[in-house]
Amino acid sequence: MDPGEDSSRFGSVPVTTSRNMSSSSSVFFSANQSPFFSPRTSTCQLSESTRSDAHCDSIHLSADPLSSSSGIPDPESIANVRFALSDISAVPAACTSSDFQKFDRLTSSIGISNSTMSSYSHVHDNGYSELREKHRKHWRSYGMSCTPVSVSLTSNRLRSCDVFIGLHGRKPSLLRFANWLRAELEVQGMSCFVSDRARCRNSRKHGIVERAMDVSSFGVVILTRKSFKNPYTIEELRFFSEKKNLVPIFFDLSPGDCLVRDIVEKRGELWEKHGGELWVFYGGLEKEWKEAVNGLTRVDEWKLESQEGNWRDCILRAVTHLAVRLGRRSVVERLTKWREKVEKEEFPFPRNENFIGRKKELSELEFILFGDVSGDAERDYFELKARPRRKNLTIGWSKSGLVDERRRERQWESGSRKGKEPVVWKESEKEIEMQSTDVPQRLRPKGGGRYSRRKRSTKILYGKGIACVAGDSGIGKTELLLEFAYRFHRRYKMVLWVGGESRYIRQNYLNLWSFLEVDVGIENCSEKSKIKSFEEQEETAINRVRKELMRNIPFLVIIDNLESEKDWWDHKLVMDLLPRFGGETHIIISTRLPRVMNLEPLKLSYLSGVEAMSLMQGGIKDYPIAEVDALRVIEEKVGRLTLGLAIVGAILSELPINPSRLLDTVNRMPLRDFSWSGSEAPSLRRNGFLVQLFEVCFSIFDHADGPRSLATRMVQASGWFAPAAIPISLLALTAHRIPEKLKGTQLWRRLLRSLTCGFTSSYTKRSEADASSMLLRFNIARSSTRQGYIHFNELIKLYARKRAVNGAASAMVQAVISRGSITHYSEHIWAACFLLFGFGTDPKVVELKVSELPYLVKEVVLPLAIRTFITFSRCSAALELLRLCTNALEAADNLLVTPVDKWLDKSLCWRPIQTNAQLNPSLWQDLALTRATVLETRAKLMLRGGQFDVGDDLIRKAVFIRTSICGEDHPDTIAARDTLSKLTRLLANVQIHTSP
C-alpha cells in the first residue's frame, strides 16, 4: 500500500478474531498515520487521546497512492468507514453421504446460524511526506500540516501484537509483497502492525509505532537496497536484534549482499550505485549503523530471501516459522496440508518443455498485469501512451513532483485540459467497460522513435489486472496461458484454473472452494427469518468466492476457453463471477470471441515461419531443401495452427517418413463430407487439410493396433465427454462399449471373452496404457497433472462428434452410469445428463430402456442434484435436472400403461387387453416409487427457496403415489405426509401475511 495522509478519526475498536479474517477486517494504524494494527484480543483499544487528533496518516499497501485497501474512492469526504465481517463456517466435505445427511437436516430442522459481527474502523491516506534531515525531523510539505498531539500509551491500549512489519519504499513490487505478507498472517490469525516509519509526520505517530514495536512478539523487517540509508530501518534492526526476535526478509537481496565492507567500499554491481557511507545520508552514527548491519549475519534461524521467482515460498516459510515460534501448531498443519494439495492440483496440465516462441505475448501479459517487466523480458518492454489522469486507474508515477501532478489534476477536473480523452473505467453489477475516445491502444517498444524522449510520461496499467487473449481454436491460447502461469506462479499464492465453457463455468468457479477454504453450500435458516430465494442463495455462494479473491492475497485466475459472456443457465454476465478488477488478484481470459466485456483483447497471431518450422521439425534439423519446401506447404495448408503443426511434428518424429511423403499421404486421404453449423469451430469448416491430417492419425493407429484400434475408439468416445480431463479407464471402458460394425463377429468375440475373462485384466490395462501413450505421442491428446487422466483439444472432440460413430454417445452414458463417481466425475455425469434429458432447446441424444431408469435416477441423478444444490448452492441447475428427470419418469410410466398390441392377444379374444405394467408389475412399482422420491425431493428443495405453493403440489403427488402403493402406515408415506404438513403450515402463514 502506498503511503499518504488522511483526516479520519479513530474510535475504540472492539475486536473479535477468526482464522478467515478479511484483509480489510483488521484495524491498521500504520505508516504515516495511526498504527496499521490488527488487535488479537478485545482489550486492544485506542484511548480518547488518540482519537482527538483530526489529522492522521496511515500506510495502505497499494500501488495507487490515491486508493485505499478498502476500495473507498474519496477518503477525504469520509470520516469513518466501518466494515462488518461474518465468520466463515466450516467447509463441508464433498462426499455424497454427507450431502444426503445435510439435506435431511436442512429439511427436518431448519435453523440459521447467526454470524458474529465485528466492526472495524478503517482509515485512508492521501498525503505525502519526506524525510529530509535527522531522526524525527520532517517537512510540512506541499501546504499540508498535522498538529502533533501528546499521547500517553497505557497498557490497556496496545497490549500485544504478534508481528511488527517494517518496510521502507514505494516500489509497487515491495508494496505488493508486504501487502500479501500482512494479509496471509491475518488469515492465519496472527495480528500485525505494518509501518513505513519514514512517512510518519509527528511525534504522536512515532510514539504509537514505537509502542507497537515494543509489544510485538516478533519484528519482521523487509530489507531492500534503499533500506540501509533509512534511519528507521536501522533503528528497527538494532531494536529487534537486542530483543532477539528479529526476522529479516531480504527483498531482491541475499544475505551475502549485506556485508558492511562491501556496502561501504561500494564493492559489487549492486553497491556501486547504492553503496557508500550510508549513515551520512541521515546524519547517523557509523557505529550504530555497522552494529545494525552486522546483526544480520548473526540471525541464523531466519534466512528468508524474496526474489522475483519465490515470493510464495518466502511468504509461506515466514508464516510457518512465525506460527511455530508463536505456538500455533494448527496453522502449521493447515498450511502443510494446503501446500500438499496445491502441489498436486494447482495446474491442469504439466509444463510444455518444448514451448516455442510467444516472447512478445508473454512480455505483454506481464506488463498488463504487473505494470512492468523483469528479467529477460525487459528488452521487450513497452508502454501504453495516454494522458495522466484518473482516480480509478492504478498509475505508476513518473519523477515529476506530486504538487505538479495535483495541479494538473485540478486543471483537468476544471475543464482546462487539452488533448486526448482519458481512459475511464465504469464498473457496476451488470457491466464493466473501458471508454476512451482517442487514446491509442498501441503498445510501443521502449526507446522507439520520437516517443523515446518522453521519459516522464505516465504509464497506465491497462486493464486493471485483467487480460484477455483471443484467437482461433488450436492457435495456442491455452499453451500461452499455461506457460505464463508456470513462469509467474510464484508471484501468486496460487493459480486457479477455471474452464470457461458456458455450461460448466459456474460449477468450475464454485469448485475453487476447496482451495480458498470457503463454504459455498446452502445456508440454514429458521422459520422466523426471511427465506432467501434461489437466486439470492446462488449469489451468496458466488459472493463468498469473490470475497476471498478480493483479499490482499494475490491469486491468478485463468478462465480458459470462455465460450460466451453470459452464463448458459441464467444468462447472467460472466463478470458477475469475477472479483472487482484492480485488486491483488489477476485475471486472464482466453476466448474465441472478438471482444469480452468491452475489453480490447490481445489477439494471438500465428507463429513466425522460423518457430513453425522448428515445431514441425522436432529433433530432425537436417532436411534437404525439397523437404523444407514440403514443410512450408504443410504449414500453409494446415492453416498455420499450432495444433496442426504439433501433430505434423509428432508424426515426423515417431515414424520413418519424410515431409514430402507425409504431404502426399494427407492429400490422398479421402475427405469426409460433414455438415457444419454456423456456431461450430471455423478452423475445421475452412480447413479440410486439417481434417485429412486427423484421418491420417487414425489410419496410423489402426495400422499399429489392427482395425478399429482402441486409440481410435477412445478419440471417438472423447467427443461426448465434458470439457475436462477424462479418466483413461473410463474412456477405455466407453471405447470398448462402442458397438462394432461387423455383426457376424460379435458372437465368437463374446465367446472368446468369456473363455479368457480371467486372463484379460492385465492385457486390458496394458492396452489402455499403450493406447493413451500413442494418443499423447502424436499430440492428439495431452497429459494431465492428475494421474490416469488425459485431455483432448476441443477441435479434436468436435471432429470426433462429427465423425458420427453409431453408439458412441450411448456407450459414454452407459460407462458413466456404471462407473461414474459423483465426487470425482461430476462434470462427465452432467455431460451424460445433457445427452439423456435434452436441456434447454437441445434434443435428446441417448434413449435409455425403461428398466434402466430407476437405477439411473436413484444412483446418479438424485445424488448429483442434491450435491449440486446443497454443496454448491446451484439451485436452478439442480431443480432443472430433477424436473427433466420427473418428465422422463412420467413418459416411461405412460409407456408402461399403454395397452400391449400383440397378435396372440388378438387371436385369443377371451383374454383381456394387458399393459406392460400388468406384464411387469414390479418394474411399474419401482418406477412409480422412484418418481415419488423425485417429487418429494423437489418439494423439499422448493421449501428451501420459499416456493411453498409449488412444493405443496409436488408433495401431494408423492403422497398419493406412496399411499397407493405402500399404504398409509408405511414409513415413507408418513415422512411424505410430515413434509406436506410443514409446507401447508408455511403456505398458510404466507397467505395470512400477504392477504389485505
Side-chain angles (χ1 to χ4, degrees):
M1 299 178 193
D2 224 27
E5 76 173 348
D6 188 26
S7 59
S8 302
R9 295 179 180 268
F10 286 103
S12 60
V13 188
V15 176
T16 59
T17 60
S18 65
R19 192 186 64 77
N20 281 329
M21 191 180 297
S22 171
S23 61
S24 62
S25 64
S26 299
V27 179
F28 291 103
F29 316 101
S30 99
N32 337 7
Q33 195 141 280
S34 357
F36 205 19
F37 178 65
S38 57
R40 182 174 50 182
T41 65
S42 59
T43 60
C44 299
Q45 298 181 353
L46 292 175
S47 67
E48 293 295 330
S49 61
T50 307
R51 298 196 296 270
S52 63
D53 188 7
H55 296 280
C56 305
D57 299 328
S58 74
I59 179 171
H60 292 286
L61 298 183
S62 167
D64 186 357
L66 299 181
S67 68
S68 73
S69 60
S70 58
I72 306 301
D74 189 7
E76 295 181 356
S77 62
I78 302 174
N80 193 9
V81 184
R82 302 179 70 83
F83 291 84
L85 172 70
S86 300
D87 292 335
I88 304 298
S89 57
V91 178
C95 60
T96 306
S97 60
S98 64
D99 294 333
F100 276 108
Q101 294 171 2
K102 189 173 181 180
F103 175 70
D104 292 337
R105 290 198 304 269
L106 290 177
T107 54
S108 58
S109 57
I110 305 174
I112 189 167
S113 59
N114 296 321
S115 301
T116 304
M117 307 300 291
S118 303
S119 298
Y120 297 88
S121 297
H122 226 261
V123 294
H124 190 83
D125 56 314
N126 66 347
Y128 180 82
S129 66
E130 183 180 358
L131 182 66
R132 299 291 290 177
E133 298 179 0
K134 288 186 178 181
H135 214 173
R136 306 284 178 82
K137 189 173 182 180
H138 306 278
W139 280 97
R140 305 295 173 90
S141 57
Y142 311 128
M144 299 198 180
S145 63
C146 184
T147 305
V149 177
S150 60
V151 180
S152 59
L153 289 170
T154 55
S155 60
N156 66 338
R157 258 182 268 139
L158 297 178
R159 177 168 295 182
S160 65
C161 176
D162 290 327
V163 182
F164 174 91
I165 301 176
L167 71 154
H168 173 63
R170 300 180 63 182
K171 188 178 179 181
S173 58
L174 172 65
L175 302 180
R176 181 178 173 88
F177 177 85
N179 201 8
W180 180 3
L181 175 61
R182 184 261 305 164
E184 191 67 48
L185 288 168
E186 287 177 355
V187 166
Q188 304 303 334
M190 287 174 268
S191 56
C192 300
F193 186 111
V194 182
S195 174
D196 182 352
R197 298 170 63 206
R199 309 188 68 77
C200 292
R201 300 189 55 200
N202 58 38
S203 59
R204 181 193 66 83
K205 298 158 196 172
H206 280 288
I208 295 174
V209 176
E210 289 173 2
R211 174 60 181 163
M213 292 172 59
D214 188 57
V215 300
S216 296
S217 301
F218 288 94
V220 176
V221 181
I222 304 176
L223 297 170
T224 65
R225 61 175 181 264
K226 294 183 179 181
S227 300
F228 296 98
K229 60 177 69 173
N230 176 33
Y232 301 108
T233 301
I234 300 301
E235 181 184 350
E236 290 164 7
L237 291 176
R238 295 182 64 235
F239 178 81
F240 290 115
S241 294
E242 292 175 359
K243 293 181 63 176
K244 300 188 183 303
N245 60 355
L246 173 64
V247 182
I249 296 181
F250 300 90
F251 189 82
D252 289 340
L253 294 174
S254 65
D257 295 329
C258 304
L259 300 178
V260 171
R261 188 178 66 177
D262 292 346
I263 298 175
V264 174
E265 298 178 1
K266 297 186 176 182
R267 293 182 177 274
E269 182 180 353
L270 176 64
W271 301 116
E272 283 181 357
K273 180 179 179 182
H274 302 281
E277 297 179 350
L278 301 183
W279 59 87
V280 177
F281 282 84
Y282 60 90
L285 299 177
E286 177 182 357
K287 180 181 179 181
E288 293 180 354
W289 186 90
K290 289 185 176 181
E291 285 179 357
V293 178
N294 283 326
L296 295 174
T297 61
R298 294 190 291 270
V299 184
D300 296 329
E301 299 181 19
W302 307 89
K303 297 294 183 181
L304 299 174
E305 299 181 42
S306 174
Q307 305 295 337
E308 283 289 344
N310 73 335
W311 283 15
R312 181 198 299 182
D313 293 337
C314 178
I315 288 177
L316 292 182
R317 280 185 60 204
V319 174
T320 302
H321 292 335
L322 287 169
V324 170
R325 297 292 294 274
L326 290 170
R328 314 285 176 86
R329 295 294 178 182
S330 60
V331 173
V332 178
E333 295 174 0
R334 186 164 55 246
L335 285 176
T336 302
K337 292 180 181 178
W338 185 87
R339 295 186 72 166
E340 292 174 353
K341 179 179 178 64
V342 169
E343 288 176 1
K344 296 178 182 178
E345 304 178 25
E346 180 174 16
F347 294 98
F349 314 112
R351 188 169 188 174
N352 183 2
E353 301 298 336
N354 300 318
F355 183 82
I356 294 176
R358 305 298 189 193
K359 292 182 179 179
K360 177 179 178 295
E361 289 83 356
L362 288 169
S363 299
E364 198 165 346
L365 282 176
E366 182 183 1
F367 178 77
I368 290 173
L369 296 179
F370 293 103
D372 57 3
V373 290
S374 60
D376 296 336
E378 195 164 2
R379 61 179 176 269
D380 300 323
Y381 187 82
F382 47 86
E383 295 181 355
L384 183 65
K385 302 295 181 182
R387 293 282 298 178
R389 149 85 168 107
R390 307 69 12 215
K391 291 181 179 179
N392 295 332
L393 276 181
T394 305
I395 7 183
W397 294 91
S398 64
K399 295 182 180 179
S400 57
L402 186 64
V403 175
D404 296 335
E405 180 62 28
R406 284 180 173 168
R407 185 180 64 251
R408 286 196 298 269
E409 284 202 357
R410 288 195 295 269
Q411 292 173 354
W412 197 302
E413 292 171 358
S414 63
S416 62
R417 57 185 173 86
K418 298 180 181 179
K420 297 176 181 178
E421 293 295 323
V423 179
V424 180
W425 278 87
K426 292 186 176 181
E427 191 166 11
S428 66
E429 294 181 359
K430 297 298 182 182
E431 63 179 357
I432 179 169
E433 57 184 351
M434 188 177 71
Q435 297 179 341
S436 176
T437 55
D438 295 319
V439 175
Q441 299 296 323
R442 296 188 300 274
L443 297 169
R444 302 184 183 277
K446 187 177 183 180
R450 60 191 178 95
Y451 292 89
S452 60
R453 297 182 181 178
R454 301 176 61 181
K455 295 181 180 179
R456 294 185 175 223
S457 62
T458 302
K459 296 184 287 290
I460 302 177
L461 305 190
Y462 166 66
K464 298 178 67 177
I466 178 171
C468 180
V469 179
D472 294 334
S473 298
I475 202 171
K477 300 184 296 297
T478 301
E479 291 290 347
L480 174 66
L481 268 56
L482 186 68
E483 179 64 20
F484 180 88
Y486 270 105
R487 288 192 183 188
F488 299 101
H489 70 283
R490 297 297 180 187
R491 294 195 193 181
Y492 302 94
K493 182 174 182 180
M494 186 180 179
V495 177
L496 302 172
W497 199 281
V498 179
E501 293 77 14
S502 57
R503 294 193 182 198
Y504 301 91
I505 183 171
R506 180 168 299 221
Q507 182 64 57
N508 293 337
Y509 187 77
L510 291 172
N511 285 340
L512 301 179
W513 71 268
S514 60
F515 299 107
L516 301 177
E517 297 179 330
V518 296
D519 183 7
V520 296
I522 210 75
E523 291 181 344
N524 290 329
C525 65
S526 65
E527 296 183 14
K528 296 181 180 180
S529 63
K530 178 184 176 182
I531 297 179
K532 293 183 179 180
S533 65
F534 293 131
E535 183 178 359
E536 291 174 335
Q537 295 183 53
E538 292 189 9
E539 290 180 356
T540 299
I542 293 294
N543 289 335
R544 289 174 188 163
V545 178
R546 293 180 77 239
K547 180 181 177 182
E548 290 300 310
L549 295 178
M550 287 191 291
R551 295 180 185 273
N552 286 326
I553 298 176
F555 290 94
L556 176 61
V557 179
I558 294 179
I559 301 179
D560 189 27
N561 191 26
L562 181 66
E563 289 183 342
S564 173
E565 292 188 60
K566 295 184 178 181
D567 184 68
W568 184 84
W569 292 94
D570 55 12
H571 305 291
K572 290 185 178 180
L573 291 176
V574 172
M575 195 211 79
D576 294 341
L577 304 178
L578 305 179
R580 185 181 183 87
F581 305 150
E584 298 297 334
T585 293
H586 291 166
I587 302 165
I588 308 180
I589 300 173
S590 72
T591 182
R592 298 190 300 270
L593 302 174
R595 292 179 77 90
V596 175
M597 294 180 290
N598 290 330
L599 292 174
E600 188 68 29
L602 172 63
K603 297 187 183 299
L604 199 61
S605 183
Y606 305 107
L607 294 176
S608 66
V610 176
E611 294 165 348
M613 193 64 61
S614 176
L615 185 58
M616 288 188 293
Q617 287 179 343
I620 305 174
K621 302 296 183 181
D622 299 327
Y623 280 121
I625 297 178
E627 300 300 332
V628 172
D629 292 339
L631 283 177
R632 298 190 188 281
V633 174
I634 293 176
E635 177 190 354
E636 293 298 327
K637 282 183 169 288
V638 85
R640 302 175 69 184
L641 290 179
T642 307
L643 175 64
L645 299 177
I647 294 176
V648 170
I651 294 175
L652 295 177
S653 300
E654 294 290 333
L655 301 178
I657 186 174
N658 55 39
S660 58
R661 186 180 175 188
L662 175 61
L663 176 60
D664 182 66
T665 303
V666 177
N667 286 328
R668 290 173 179 270
M669 185 64 60
L671 184 61
R672 294 172 179 259
D673 186 18
F674 295 132
S675 59
W676 304 96
S677 65
S679 60
E680 290 173 331
S683 301
L684 286 183
R685 293 204 312 267
R686 299 191 304 256
N687 199 334
F689 188 86
L690 184 61
V691 176
Q692 290 174 301
L693 181 63
F694 291 161
E695 287 291 341
V696 168
C697 291
F698 292 154
S699 299
I700 294 172
F701 300 156
D702 292 341
H703 179 77
D705 199 22
R708 296 187 72 255
S709 68
L710 179 59
T712 301
R713 285 180 288 164
M714 287 170 71
V715 177
Q716 293 169 350
S718 68
W720 302 101
F721 281 85
I726 307 173
I728 295 176
S729 58
L730 187 62
L731 185 62
L733 177 62
T734 304
H736 285 301
R737 294 196 177 201
I738 296 178
E740 299 184 17
K741 295 180 180 179
L742 301 177
K743 301 291 184 181
T745 62
Q746 289 185 0
L747 180 61
W748 70 267
R749 285 180 185 272
R750 290 175 184 170
L751 179 62
L752 181 63
R753 290 194 191 106
S754 64
L755 293 175
T756 60
C757 61
F759 307 95
T760 57
S761 59
S762 61
Y763 172 78
T764 301
K765 291 180 181 179
R766 183 170 57 83
S767 62
E768 290 177 8
D770 293 343
S772 60
S773 175
M774 188 179 297
L775 294 175
L776 295 174
R777 293 202 315 270
F778 282 87
N779 287 328
I780 295 297
R782 68 178 306 161
S783 58
S784 172
T785 51
R786 299 175 67 180
Q787 190 68 27
Y789 286 71
I790 58 175
H791 195 281
F792 290 86
N793 186 280
E794 192 58 33
L795 276 181
I796 293 176
K797 296 179 70 173
L798 175 60
Y799 173 71
R801 292 194 298 271
K802 288 295 179 181
R803 216 163 179 253
V805 177
N806 293 329
S810 178
M812 177 268 184
V813 171
Q814 295 286 354
V816 168
I817 292 174
S818 60
R819 292 277 185 90
S821 167
I822 300 296
T823 304
H824 299 98
Y825 310 150
S826 60
E827 303 97 336
H828 303 302
I829 296 177
W830 271 109
C833 291
F834 289 139
L835 297 175
L836 282 169
F837 299 119
F839 284 67
T841 58
D842 297 341
K844 293 182 181 180
V845 179
V846 177
E847 291 285 349
L848 287 183
K849 298 178 181 178
V850 175
S851 58
E852 296 172 336
L853 272 178
Y855 177 83
L856 168 71
V857 173
K858 288 184 287 189
E859 300 297 327
V860 177
V861 175
L862 277 175
L864 177 64
I866 292 174
R867 181 174 187 266
T868 302
F869 190 99
I870 300 299
T871 306
F872 298 101
S873 301
R874 292 190 60 212
C875 308
S876 301
L879 292 173
E880 179 66 10
L881 175 61
L882 293 177
R883 186 187 69 83
L884 294 175
C885 178
T886 303
N887 294 344
L889 291 171
E890 290 177 352
D893 182 81
N894 294 333
L895 186 63
L896 285 180
V897 298
T898 302
V900 177
D901 187 12
K902 295 183 179 180
W903 68 269
L904 181 62
D905 296 333
K906 292 181 179 179
S907 61
L908 302 175
C909 57
W910 61 86
R911 296 190 57 181
I913 297 177
Q914 292 185 327
T915 63
N916 283 319
Q918 292 173 318
L919 295 174
N920 195 347
S922 60
L923 175 61
W924 178 79
Q925 288 187 4
D926 192 13
L927 202 65
L929 292 176
T930 302
R931 182 155 64 98
T933 302
V934 174
L935 291 170
E936 184 178 4
T937 303
R938 290 176 62 192
K940 292 179 179 180
L941 297 183
M942 291 298 175
L943 187 150
R944 296 292 306 149
Q947 298 187 13
F948 305 133
D949 52 346
V950 179
D952 185 78
D953 293 338
L954 294 172
I955 195 63
R956 289 182 185 277
K957 295 178 182 178
V959 169
F960 175 77
I961 294 173
R962 292 194 184 280
T963 304
S964 302
I965 296 177
C966 303
E968 295 184 355
D969 298 330
H970 194 274
D972 292 340
T973 306
I974 296 173
R977 288 188 179 277
D978 292 340
T979 305
L980 175 60
S981 301
K982 183 182 296 184
L983 279 165
T984 303
R985 184 179 67 255
L986 291 172
L987 185 59
N989 292 337
V990 170
Q991 292 174 349
I992 291 173
H993 287 89
T994 57
S995 61

